[in-house]
Amino acid sequence: MVRAACALVAVLVAVLLSACGSAGRAPEAPAPSGPAVPPPSSAPAAARPSVPTPPPPRPVATPGKKVTIQLTGYSYADNTPPGSSEVCCAVLHQVAGGQGTFEDPITVAVPGSGGQGMLYPSGTKFYLPTVLRYVIVEDSGASSYALPHLDMWVDGRGDGASDVENCMDEITGQVPAELGPPPGRPVLAGPISSGAGCRIPHGRG
């Protein structure tokens, strides 16, 4: 009987202790009830206006070397063989010719013989401001002078022999030249003498 009473007391004590523990526990805080945050928009951001890339600066052409030359002319009448336009050392033209532009310079001959001992190698370019033409070395046989000598092909077809001779006299002399010129120099395109008179600056039309 005593043992049962003790057991009953123990059960009551346990119940009381449990009730006291529950009463002292802090209640859980309720979840915040603020406005719901919308999910991030899946719409793409507005594209930024594209800024065009500026073009790279154009390279500045390096001027050629300034030289003084002895300039003369030759034509069909005094070429070797006479009446021909043959050249020894073709580069751009199979026969003497050209328009005098940077892309199509006119043939010139330099001292040397048969392509041997040439004063300038074939393919060398010059610009001649007195005739407003670019020229290219494609022939040899010009006479030797104290100055570098360029003998320029004037063509001569369609003009009288005396007119061609006079035209060659007009271009002859010690003149400035530019060795290895860049493009862009002023040009009077076309043969010097080819059925249209002597086509040089301030020359006969």
Side-chain angles (χ1 to χ4, degrees):
M1 189 65 180
V2 174
R3 199 177 284 177
C6 288
L8 181 59
V9 171
V11 170
L12 291 173
V13 170
V15 171
L16 290 172
L17 289 175
S18 176
C20 291
S22 297
R25 185 179 304 154
E28 293 185 3
S33 58
V37 178
S41 172
S42 60
R48 291 185 177 181
S50 60
V51 178
T53 303
R58 296 180 63 181
V60 178
T62 303
K65 180 181 179 182
K66 305 295 184 182
V67 294
T68 300
I69 62 158
Q70 177 68 39
L71 179 63
T72 58
Y74 74 117
S75 69
Y76 279 97
D78 58 359
N79 192 24
T80 303
S84 77
S85 56
E86 292 182 15
V87 295
C88 73
C89 314
V91 178
L92 296 179
H93 314 103
Q94 293 306 307
V95 293
Q99 294 295 307
T101 63
F102 181 82
E103 295 77 14
D104 187 19
I106 293 175
T107 302
V108 291
V110 296
S113 178
Q116 301 298 314
M118 295 174 68
L119 178 63
Y120 294 102
S122 57
T124 303
K125 277 185 178 182
F126 293 83
Y127 175 72
L128 305 177
T130 57
V131 293
L132 298 181
R133 306 299 204 284
Y134 287 89
V135 297
I136 184 170
V137 176
E138 293 185 304
D139 205 359
S140 62
S143 303
S144 294
Y145 287 88
L147 291 172
H149 180 199
L150 300 184
D151 200 16
M152 183 178 185
W153 177 253
V154 301
D155 197 315
R157 289 174 293 183
D159 289 329
S162 61
D163 291 332
V164 176
E165 287 291 334
N166 290 337
C167 188
M168 290 192 291
D169 288 343
E170 286 195 46
I171 71 170
T172 296
Q174 296 181 7
V175 301
E178 189 175 4
L179 170 61
R185 300 291 187 248
V187 167
L188 179 60
I192 296 292
S193 174
S194 183
C198 192
R199 299 183 66 250
I200 60 175
H202 311 298
R204 292 175 290 109

